[in-house]
Amino acid sequence: SYILPRTARRGRRPPMVDHFAVSVADWDKAHVDAELTRRGLRVRADLNLPDDSVHISDPDGFDLQLVNEKVTSSIR
């Protein structure tokens, strides 16, 4: 599937997708970091949720956030 940009009304910015977030049950940051690294992915820290979230890029360069399911209600 594809995400297609739409045009916006005059004077407004068109909508955009900044990133996708996926919640992870039984979060263990050390294990998540180790597994992603083992798979050759570059793990980026999340400055807002340093213990409960990491970011990686998908093969097309889009930002994917993996986050502890217990804190998903605090993500903006």
Side-chain angles (χ1 to χ4, degrees):
S1 67
Y2 296 93
I3 297 174
L4 301 174
R6 295 179 291 151
T7 57
R9 292 183 202 161
R10 189 180 319 221
R12 293 192 171 199
R13 251 179 42 188
M16 63 174 256
V17 174
D18 178 65
H19 71 284
F20 290 95
V22 177
S23 63
V24 177
D26 300 322
W27 179 261
D28 178 338
K29 186 169 186 304
H31 181 76
V32 170
D33 286 348
E35 183 60 23
L36 294 171
T37 300
R38 184 186 75 76
R39 292 173 181 245
L41 297 167
R42 187 173 69 85
V43 179
R44 298 185 313 277
D46 186 321
L47 300 177
N48 295 317
L49 297 167
D51 296 327
D52 292 304
S53 175
V54 296
H55 291 260
I56 58 173
S57 294
D58 80 356
D60 293 316
F62 289 103
D63 184 25
L64 174 64
Q65 178 185 22
L66 302 176
V67 62
N68 183 345
E69 73 173 355
K70 295 179 181 176
V71 296
T72 56
S73 62
S74 67
I75 296 175
R76 291 181 261 157

